[in-house]
């Protein structure tokens, strides 16, 4: 018996496969890449390949994330909030607060007993999400992976005065041409994002342990900036990108087990590895 | 090395300084008195209803609305705002209310009633009760009710009627407002008596009420003098001096004397044609709360010839009324307070400007103080200082050919007001003002 | 000495003109780039070259726009709102309202018969409310800005963007392409979103006709049409809408010299 | 029952085109009086043979005209409402009655009056406390309202007619409560979405027609075989305004909304107007004391000199407890209209109260536009996930 969690994010699609004992069989991430149509299923295919499984071998599949609604091969949709909370608490049993900064939104979650109990989120303006960093990385022609490292070298922070992501991008270019150091600019950018997310998190109230997940947690510059903004310790999973998919897989397994215990059979969808679309 | 001092173009009134010093001093004094055990009340600016009663009962009042501004200016508001946010108050609420709620949470939940050490100006001590107000905005009574989460102190929400301009002239309307007000204040007195455990000294209330009325009358006359050209007194002097009349800050006899001094100085300037700025090119009305943290902005505008000759209706004293024949002090206070709300109604109805209590006075000001333009400062989180502004600007241009420039700001998020951006708009706006000056000439207006 | 120069260093493009007797003699447009000072210099050199003059032949230069401070050789800096009003008045003296669609923001200006500003307003500082949104989407659609208008004009069913954010709008556009939604519907969707921002600014200020439109956004003919139908009016469009503000600057350069010499 | 023009179908049609009936009546020489808020005592209009018509906001209509009259950071419901008026959608009205229920209502009324020209316009002031002098004042306000209405219609407001009107409106309140009885079962007999349509229809019809509609609907709902689908949660939504089916559907896609505690739901129907000797007194008492809305300042005891937070919460939110128990509600959504100050200040306290009675709750904010629906969906789903685990 195998279970899958598919997290179709705005930027990246993540898949986690798990057996009934909860052992991870594979985890794959790839770009959601709307321009190439097949990517969600492509990522799923790779994951299956890695685990040497066929799609029909999977007993139950939970889809989550921004693109969860129209995944043709998923049996159930669960919001990324519940999945992240579940994923985080499986990795850090003492976690009480999780912050997920993704490409499309930023969310803060309160966790109790492994479950989501409360949350706040921002999804109105890109300036408070991971997209803010993505956009500026592209502008600066540096790799997203390197942004954090570079920012750590900063001797000072340069304040970014534009709130809008797109204008901030322009501002960054102007700062560079004025001879400001890249690392100082990056430190300013990280600080700008961190203070926005921290404001959101404070709304929920932060209780330790605090875990930062989502793609942005891979960026050590952000982890540092968040620590400074919140003034507390932050735990980061080894593979922060996968937390949502992991949670989805666990919830798939648990849903299945619960139904089995009650002697019910869950409705499942036919296993078609087809492209997923976002808008109905 | 030459130290460049910030250029100050505005010619401040000398008589303003002692008045401002007095206000600051009384603030500190009242904190001292409270710390020495005198009862303290948190009050909402209530446009004259409750303050004379508290004053006559020798109760010290602190104003969280005012304190919010201080906390913002001193840079400590942020942490209180964050706290309020964490407690679940929506962020779009009045910034001052959030500051107070965060402050109360810190003081009562975290510090068990101790004044937070970081609180500026001695902080606000735990009150005996809360006096909120229904006048002007919803935040002002809901906010004190919400404080109940942090402090088990009773709240008295002062009722204030909000009459419609036309409806006000229905026969018997005024008497019903009076009846509500007087009975309400009488009950309030009983409540205060119970709270402080002593009886009202009615003679003292009588005197206090009279002084309040007189202080406001003189203060009104001072502002009337500002109709002169050039205008002898800038809005900055108004703002510095207003707390003594608006909140009854300080000893009222002192205040009266100081406002009289101010009257003499302003009158002197009028006689000698001395303006508040060197070269008055544009006479301006300023709408609503000033950007307290960047007041230097007004010096920059003064260099361009912008004189601010009149400002927000809400901070101005009521149009004087002869109340000497009203023997009951509560009745006198009520009449005076109502006058604040309805003083302009007769005129507004005649002009058919029905857009509300705080809208019409701007038309009158602009006409009588002969303003060339209005600088509007809508505030993101203060609804009552912003709601009427689009209407005001519409009416000013339609009825009087006077244009408005609107520059957004906020009461606690001070970064929102961008003085550079605002100054960049000054140039095109001067052109606009010139244009309308010509339009007014054509339309037969006299300024 | 009757040559005057106006330079408008915009957030996206730098525009410059030389006028003679209040008539356009030469113009030039370059991408502003990161170094505004250099753009300003290039602009001057190119303009002078085009009319075959030397620097000394230019009697006066006025700078305006986002980067006006970098035009160190200008005698004065003037607000772009004033320049736009003078510029449009030069081309369309009858215009009483002008919509300026620039990169960072949209401005609506009311003016009188002499080009004097009588009222104005500008959009908020959000890229979704200005020409940048068009650039961003054009980039996603892999088309030139100059093809944006003609493409959008073909649309029958413009899409509606789900958020008011240009950045998210970008990803939405990418997704829509992948779903096979025709490019023209996406382009027209952007125009629709911008047109409604413009319309609400215009209404706020109250429209007085005739109304002109200028700025780089006016090159987007489909956008102009959409705004026209949203407001239910006909717009006046100058031949070179992007130059209007620079033209206004040159006119101010000319008038301020004339008025100086007459008072001297 | 399959008559398409009865009951729920009829309600839906009126919901979709709410002014149609009013316009028909207008053509038949009836006078139509608009009102923007449920605090306006419609009984007085009915008694004078005037047709009360609630001028609702329309969420699907983007705000374009109100921009020049009201700032952005202002109650979006009232902005939208005014926008509709400025677009001329209410031009058929013979008059408007506005009331000081909250600050935005009062402010909008001023601007409404200034920018439109109905033959009749009246503004009722309303105090914020339930003190005796406040009640007396409010009664005086209703009396003034009577005077202007009489002057407008040229008729006297007779005691008999007012009594009859009060009775009809009380009957309407009783019928709405009866309809809500039908959401007690699981699954409910009638969905939250359907009730939104019915309530909006009621505020667009003369009272007698509304009562007929209710009677038909109740009969139909009781008999019908197809009930709403049973979902994993039973919700109470506490809000100032929830009067749009699209928003309701965001909730009902995943849960059964069995109580809509807003002015698009049960709020104006929970109590009953008493037939006091002085009829206006009963009306004043009902509107000031009986309708429970955040706009009224309530405290445990009048002028109390001691304060106890627990009792305070009870006096402010106690009315919810019975419904939560009787309707077996397992989650409360505090749905806040952005910039709605009276409700916004209540959120943390209401949360405290709900915690104290052990009901999970969440707070969701929206700005009364269709654009707000997508982000709302994730929040709603996540909340339902948290309470149905
Ligand atoms: N290797 C990396 N280093 C730093 N940041 C990264 C890395 N990979 C992704 N990110 C950040 O993570 C974000 C995407 O996070 P993700 O959780 O996948 O969001 P979503 O679920 O919306 O796709 C991007 O916006 C980017 O800022
Ligand atoms: N050829 C074109 N076709 C359509 N739109 C254009 C074209 N060129 C520029 N634009 C639009 O004009 C905007 C720039 O306008 P411009 O007035 O030059 O702004 P700025 O002064 O801020 O640089 C761009 O953001 C783009 O939307
Ligand atoms: S300000 Fe910029 S990032 Fe924010 S919504 Fe607007 S376009 Fe998007
Ligand atoms: S919103 Fe404005 S008027 Fe109301 S309490 Fe706050 S600061 Fe005062
Ligand atoms: S109660 Fe709230 S939603 Fe209703 S009109 Fe007032 S502010 Fe708006």
């Amino acid at each position: 018996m195998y279970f899958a969690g598919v997290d179709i994010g705005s930027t990246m699609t993540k898949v986690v496969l798990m057996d009934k004992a909860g052992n991870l069989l594979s985890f794959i991430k790839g770009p959601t890449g709307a321009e190439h149509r097949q990517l969600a299923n492509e990522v799923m295919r790779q994951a299956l390949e890695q685990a040497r499984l066929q799609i029909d071998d999977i007993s139950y599949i939970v889809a989550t994330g921004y693109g969860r609604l129209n995944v043709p091969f998923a049996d159930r949709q669960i919001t990324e909030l519940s999945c992240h909370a579940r994923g985080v608490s499986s990795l850090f049993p003492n976690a009480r607060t999780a912050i997920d900064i993704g490409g499309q939104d930023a969310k803060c979650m309160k966790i109790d007993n492994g479950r989501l109990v409360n949350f706040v989120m921002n999804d109105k303006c890109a300036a408070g999400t991971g997209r803010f960093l993505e956009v500026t990385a592209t502008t600066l022609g540096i790799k997203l992976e390197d942004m954090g490292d570079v920012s750590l070298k900063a001797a000072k922070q340069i304040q970014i005065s534009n709130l809008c992501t797109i204008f901030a991008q322009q501002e960054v270019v102007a700062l560079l041409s004025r001879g400001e150091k890249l690392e100082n600019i990056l430190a300013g950018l990280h600080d700008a994002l961190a203070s926005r997310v921290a404001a959101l998190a404070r709304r929920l109230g932060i209780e330790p342990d605090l875990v930062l997940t989502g793609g942005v947690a891979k960026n050590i510059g952000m982890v540092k900036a968040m620590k400074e903004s919140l003034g507390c310790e932050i735990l980061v999973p080894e593979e922060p990108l996968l937390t949502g998919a992991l949670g989805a897989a666990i919830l798939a397994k648990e849903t299945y087990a619960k139904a089995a215990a009650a002697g019910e059979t869950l409705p499942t969808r036919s296993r078609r590895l087809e492209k997923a679309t976002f808008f109905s | 090395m030459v130290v460049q001092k910030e250029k100050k173009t505005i010619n401040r009134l000398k008589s303003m300084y002692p008045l401002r010093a007095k206000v600051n001093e009384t603030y500190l004094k009242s904190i001292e008195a409270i710390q020495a055990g005198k009862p303290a009340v948190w009050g909402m600016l209530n446009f004259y209803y409750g303050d004379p009663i508290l004053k006559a009962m020798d109760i010290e009042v602190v104003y969280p609305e005012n304190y919010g501004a201080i906390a913002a200016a001193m840079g400590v508001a942020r942490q209180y705002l964050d706290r309020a946010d964490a407690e679940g108050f929506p962020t779009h609420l009045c910034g001052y209310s959030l500051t107070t709620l965060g402050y109360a949470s810190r003081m009562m939940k975290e510090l068990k009633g101790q004044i937070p050490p970081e609180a500026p100006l001695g902080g606000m001590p735990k009150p005996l009760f809360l006096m909120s107000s229904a006048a002007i905005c919803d935040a002002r009574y809901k906010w004190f009710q919400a404080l109940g989460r942090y402090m088990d102190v009773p709240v008295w929400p002062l009722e204030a009627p909000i009459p419609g301009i036309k409806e006000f002239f229905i026969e018997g309307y005024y008497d019903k407002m009076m009846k509500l007000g007087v009975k309400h204040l009488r009950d309030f007195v009983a409540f205060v008596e119970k709270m402080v455990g002593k009886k009202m000294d009615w003679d003292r209330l009588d005197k206090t009420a009279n002084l309040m009325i007189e202080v406001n009358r003189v203060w009104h006359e001072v502002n009337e003098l500002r109709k002169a050209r050039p205008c002898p007194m800038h809005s900055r002097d108004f703002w510095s001096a207003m707390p003594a009349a608006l909140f009854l800050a300080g000893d009222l006899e002192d205040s009266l004397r100081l406002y009289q001094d101010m009257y003499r100085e302003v009158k002197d300037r009028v006689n000698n044609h001395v303006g508040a700025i060197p070269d008055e090119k544009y006479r301006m009305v300023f709408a609503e709360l000033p950007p307290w943290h960047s007041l230097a902005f007004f010096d920059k505008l003064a260099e361009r010839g912008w004189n601010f000759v009149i400002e927000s209706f809400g901070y101005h004293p009521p149009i004087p009324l002869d109340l000497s024949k009203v023997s009951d002090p509560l009745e006198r206070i009520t009449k005076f307070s109502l006058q604040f709300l309805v003083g302009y109604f007769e005129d507004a109805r005649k002009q058919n400007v029905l857009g509300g209590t705080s809208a019409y006075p701007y038309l009158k000001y602009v006409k009588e103080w002969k303003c060339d333009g209005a600088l509007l400062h809508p505030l993101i989180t203060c609804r009552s200082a912003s709601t009427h502004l689009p209407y005001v600007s519409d009416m000013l241009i339609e009825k009087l050919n006077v244009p408005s420039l609107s520059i957004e700001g906020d009461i606690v998020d001070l970064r929102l007001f961008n003085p550079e951006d605002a100054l960049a708009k000054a140039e095109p706006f001067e052109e606009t003002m010139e244009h309308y000056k010509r339009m007014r000439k054509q339309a037969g207006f006299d300024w | 000495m009757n040559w005057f120069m106006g330079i408008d260093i915009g957030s996206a493009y730098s525009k410059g003109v030389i006028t003679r007797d209040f008539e356009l003699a030469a113009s030039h447009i370059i991408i502003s780039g990161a170094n505004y000072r250099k753009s300003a210099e290039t602009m001057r050199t190119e303009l002078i070259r085009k009319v075959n003059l030397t620097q000394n032949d230019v009697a006066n230069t006025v700078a305006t726009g986002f980067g006006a401070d970098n035009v160190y050789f200008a005698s004065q800096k003037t607000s772009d709102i004033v320049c736009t009003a003078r510029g449009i008045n030069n081309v369309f003296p009858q215009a009483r309202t002008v919509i300026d669609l620039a990169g960072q923001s949209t401005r609506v200006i009311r003016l009188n018969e002499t080009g004097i500003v009588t009222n104005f307003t500008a959009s908020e500082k959000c890229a979704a409310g200005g020409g940048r949104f068009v650039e961003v989407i054009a980039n996603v659609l892999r088309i030139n800005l100059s093809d944006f208008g003609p493409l959008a004009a073909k649309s029958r069913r413009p899409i509606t963007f789900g958020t008011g954010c240009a950045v998210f709008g970008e990803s939405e556009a990418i997704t829509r392409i992948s779903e096979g939604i025709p490019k023209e519907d996406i382009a027209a969707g952007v125009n629709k979103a911008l047109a409604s921002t413009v319309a609400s600014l215009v209404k706020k200020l109250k429209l007085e006709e005739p109304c002109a439109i200028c700025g780089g956004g006016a090159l987007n003919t489909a956008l102009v049409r959409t705004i026209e139908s949203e407001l239910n009016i006909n717009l006046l469009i100058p031949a070179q809408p992007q130059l209007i503000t620079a033209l206004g600057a040159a006119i101010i350069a000319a008038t301020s010299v004339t008025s100086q010499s007459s008072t001297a | 029952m399959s008559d398409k023009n009865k009951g729920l179908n009829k309600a839906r049609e009126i919901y979709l085109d709410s002014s149609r009936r009013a316009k028909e009546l207008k053509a038949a020489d009836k006078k139509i009086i608009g009102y923007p808020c449920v605090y306006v005592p419609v009984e007085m209009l009915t008694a004078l043979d005037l047709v009360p018509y609630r001028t609702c906001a329309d969420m699907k209509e983007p705000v374009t005209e109100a921009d020049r009259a009201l700032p952005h950071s202002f109650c979006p419901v009232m902005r939208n409402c005014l926008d509709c008026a400025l677009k001329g959608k209410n031009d058929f009205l013979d008059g408007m009655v506005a009331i000081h229920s909250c600050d935005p209502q009062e402010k909008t009324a001023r601007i409404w009056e200034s920018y439109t020209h109905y033959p009749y316009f009246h503004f009722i002031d309303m105090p914020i406390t339930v003190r005796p002098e406040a009640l007396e004042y409010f009664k005086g306000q209703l009396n003034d309202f009577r005077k202007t209405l009489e002057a407008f219609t040229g008729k006297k407001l007779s005691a008999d007619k007012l009594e009859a009107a009060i009775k009809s409106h009380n009957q309407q309140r009783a019928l709405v409560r009866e309809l809500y009885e039908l959401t007690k079962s699981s699954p409910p007999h009638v969905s939250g979405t359907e009730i939104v349509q019915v309530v909006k229809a009621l505020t667009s019809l003369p009272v007698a027609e509304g009562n007929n509609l209710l009677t038909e609907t109740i009969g139909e709902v009781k008999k019908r075989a197809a009930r709403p689908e049973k979902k994993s949660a039973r919700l109470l939504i506490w809000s100032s305004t929830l009067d749009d089916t699209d928003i309701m559907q965001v909730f009902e896609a995943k849960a059964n909304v069995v109580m809509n505690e807003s002015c698009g739901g049960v709020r104006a129907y929970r109590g009953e107007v008493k037939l006091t000797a002085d009829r206006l007194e009963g009306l004043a008492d009902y509107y000031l004391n009986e309708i429970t809305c955040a706009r009224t300042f309530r405290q445990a005891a009048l002028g109390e000199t001691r304060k106890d937070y627990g009792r305070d919460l009870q006096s402010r939110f106690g009315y919810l407890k019975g419904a939560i128990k009787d309707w077996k509600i397992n989650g409360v959504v505090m749905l806040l209209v952005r910039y709605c100050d009276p409700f916004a200040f209540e959120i943390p306290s209401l949360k405290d109260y709900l915690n104290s009675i052990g009901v999970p709750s969440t707070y969701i904010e929206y700005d009364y536009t269709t654009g707000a629906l997508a982000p709302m969906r994730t929040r709603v789903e996540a909340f339902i996930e948290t309470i149905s685990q």
Side-chain angles (χ1 to χ4, degrees), chain C residues 214-225:
Chain C
C214 71
L219 293 168
N220 179 343
T221 43
L223 174 58
V224 175
R225 292 287 101 76

Side-chain angles (χ1 to χ4, degrees), chain A residues 7-12 14 32 66 84 100-105 129-131 133-134 144-146 214-216 218-219 240-241:
Chain A
D7 174 4
I8 306 189
S10 60
T11 337
M12 305 274 258
K14 293 78 69 170
T32 296
Y66 173 64
H84 269 286
D100 165 35
I101 313 177
Q104 182 82 9
D105 53 27
T129 72
R131 185 59 57 81
L133 294 179
E134 262 176 81
L144 201 50
E145 293 86 295
D146 300 337
V216 173
K218 290 193 80 115
N219 175 330
L241 266 168

Side-chain angles (χ1 to χ4, degrees), chain A residues 18-41:
Chain A
M18 168 181 292
D19 65 16
K20 69 173 182 212
N23 299 312
L24 294 190
L25 302 178
S26 65
F27 35 94
I28 292 284
K29 52 182 187 273
T32 296
E35 273 199 293
H36 323 273
R37 300 181 164 201
Q38 319 271 339
L39 286 191
N41 47 336

Side-chain angles (χ1 to χ4, degrees), chain D residues 46-83:
Chain D
T46 301
L48 278 164
D49 230 6
L50 299 163
V51 179
Y53 171 76
R54 185 165 183 201
T55 52
C56 288
D58 179 358
M59 205 178 81
K60 274 125 203 138
E61 183 73 42
V63 172
T64 54
E65 302 297 322
D67 274 347
R68 70 181 163 99
L70 287 169
H72 277 274
S73 49
F74 185 83
C75 167
V77 176
M78 289 318 288
R79 276 184 110 239
N80 187 309
C81 211
L82 179 71
D83 189 66

Side-chain angles (χ1 to χ4, degrees), chain B residues 3 45 76 85 102 153 189 250 262 370 395 401 404 422 426:
Chain B
V3 183
L45 173 59
V76 298
D85 204 349
V153 295
V189 169
M262 190 175 246
K370 307 210 184 307
M395 287 297 118
N401 279 310
S404 313

Side-chain angles (χ1 to χ4, degrees), chain A residues 199 202-203 205, chain B residues 82 85-86 91:
Chain A
R202 282 199 208 95
R203 234 151 97 183
Chain B
D82 287 346
D85 204 349
T91 42

